[in-house]
Amino acid sequence: MKRLTVAVVAMMLALVTSAGAQNYPLKPITIIVPFAAGGPTDALARVLGERMRQSLGQTILVENVTGAGGTLGVARAVHAAPDGYTLSIGHLGTHVVNGAIYPLGFDLVNDFDPVAEISSNPMLIVSKNDVPAKNLKELIAWIKANDGKVSAGTAGVGSGSHFAGVYFEQLIGVKLQFVPYRGTAPALQDLVAGQIDLIVDQASNSLPQVQAGKIRAYGIASTKRVPAAPAVPTVDEAGLPGFHIELWSGIWVPKGTPKDIVAKLNAAVVDALADPAVRKRFAEVGLDVPPRAQQTPEALAAHQQAEVKKWWPMIKAANIKVQ
Ligand code: MLT
């Protein structure tokens, strides 16, 4: 009798859940952006969100929850109800690096369910225009001559721009003065205004200002140039071989979100990434779309775990302190 009751309850629960998934989404969905509005992660969320609305038939609201290198926004998402109405957008910094730096109190790999990888772009070394350097070798010489005095804008400890800055420091063997912001949008504003000296930024954030002549670019942290900026050399060409960082981004939901709902969200992301208008927007700022086979929840999970293995030893060795 008791076993029958359990089976009936389980069946009813499955019925309710799948009915819930069938009718999902019944209200607007919130995507939590862990950095300031106007930055690269925010831009991704808004471009994708607008296209996902068409597939899902519900508005995707963007909520910027900033601070602590993105950990505050990610924490808000991980503790949300696993019902498909709260998404976490993030990247190598927020969903890999921060796990090796901050006492998060949750597990970036196991407390989220992956939805899809959405984009990647190499980092780009940029400076304000009146830095006395015309190329990367001169920039590195200038930084060495001003060891510990050159200011570098970041989106906070553990963010992509900070982590890339630390890696850059290590490779050139001098210290930078990191200036944390709530995202690289405000950092870029200060770079254009000459308040800070440089940023190791996502190409998608800085390229429009480089193309407008408002800031100077020295090298793409990749083996290949970016089609959107053919004149900008790779770091290998410019004299810092091996300084390669690809900042990939993804979307996750809280652990335990029904699989049918994850599948619907994934399908909406895949639709968006196949949309020519979205692809054009991405290409204009140097963003790559992952191949279709890499747009599955399983592929994001595998990539995230591989990046944890790859970068955590370097991050731990760098002994990065959370201010
Ligand atoms: C942002 O959107 O501001 C960036 O993703 C920050 C970063 O990680 O550098």
Side-chain angles (χ1 to χ4, degrees):
M1 182 58 180
K2 193 157 176 309
R3 211 176 302 130
L4 182 61
T5 323
V6 172
V8 169
V9 170
M11 199 177 58
M12 286 168 70
L13 261 180
L15 275 175
V16 169
T17 314
S18 71
Q22 267 158 25
N23 302 327
Y24 173 87
L26 291 170
K27 60 182 180 177
I29 297 163
T30 298
I31 188 165
I32 298 186
V33 174
F35 296 110
T41 309
D42 183 72
L44 264 179
R46 290 176 196 277
V47 170
L48 280 178
E50 176 41 36
R51 184 56 185 76
M52 289 171 72
R53 178 185 62 75
Q54 293 169 27
S55 305
L56 294 164
Q58 276 293 347
T59 306
I60 308 265
L61 304 167
V62 172
E63 189 181 342
N64 301 86
V65 179
T66 65
T71 59
L72 300 188
V74 173
R76 171 82 66 80
V78 86
H79 295 119
D83 58 8
Y85 290 102
T86 304
L87 313 184
S88 174
I89 189 169
H91 53 46
L92 170 62
T94 56
H95 285 70
V96 172
V97 174
N98 283 345
I101 297 173
Y102 291 87
L104 294 174
F106 57 85
D107 184 308
L108 288 168
V109 173
N110 297 313
D111 292 331
F112 276 111
D113 283 331
V115 173
E117 189 163 328
I118 52 179
S119 70
S120 69
N121 68 148
M123 302 305 273
L124 175 64
I125 304 167
V126 290
S127 84
K128 63 183 181 184
N129 275 338
D130 59 16
V131 159
K134 288 186 297 310
N135 56 47
L136 187 55
K137 285 195 175 128
E138 288 181 11
L139 178 73
I140 293 171
W142 178 71
I143 296 172
K144 287 186 174 172
N146 295 279
D147 189 357
K149 294 193 216 109
V150 173
S151 58
T154 77
V157 172
S159 65
S161 43
H162 176 253
F163 165 58
V166 170
Y167 191 18
F168 181 55
E169 265 188 338
Q170 290 192 333
L171 282 184
I172 62 175
V174 289
K175 282 284 172 212
L176 293 168
Q177 226 181 51
F178 290 119
V179 182
Y181 294 79
R182 287 180 171 272
T184 44
L188 186 58
Q189 275 169 6
D190 270 9
L191 189 73
V192 170
Q195 303 296 318
I196 54 174
D197 299 317
L198 62 87
I199 306 175
V200 184
D201 194 10
Q202 290 174 64
S204 62
N205 191 47
S206 290
L207 274 183
Q209 297 295 350
V210 172
Q211 282 145 354
K214 299 263 179 66
I215 58 174
R216 190 175 302 146
Y218 296 85
I220 285 277
S222 171
T223 54
K224 56 184 190 342
R225 292 190 179 203
V226 168
V232 180
T234 67
V235 288
D236 298 358
E237 294 165 324
L240 188 61
F243 177 53
H244 303 150
I245 298 191
E246 194 71 26
L247 204 96
W248 53 273
S249 294
I251 291 178
W252 292 259
V253 285
K255 186 83 186 162
T257 300
K259 293 223 169 328
D260 312 30
I261 290 180
V262 173
K264 270 193 177 177
L265 288 166
N266 177 270
V269 173
V270 169
D271 274 359
L273 295 178
D275 184 309
V278 170
R279 296 176 83 91
K280 183 168 175 293
R281 294 278 297 278
F282 276 30
E284 280 160 1
V285 291
L287 277 170
D288 291 330
V289 173
R292 179 63 191 84
Q294 226 181 297
Q295 296 174 11
T296 64
E298 298 73 21
L300 176 56
H303 191 195
Q304 187 185 19
Q305 282 157 25
E307 293 279 271
V308 166
K309 277 206 184 74
K310 174 179 175 185
W311 291 112
W312 275 26
M314 176 269 205
I315 299 160
K316 296 204 179 220
N319 196 19
I320 298 171
K321 291 274 172 290
V322 177
Q323 278 122 17

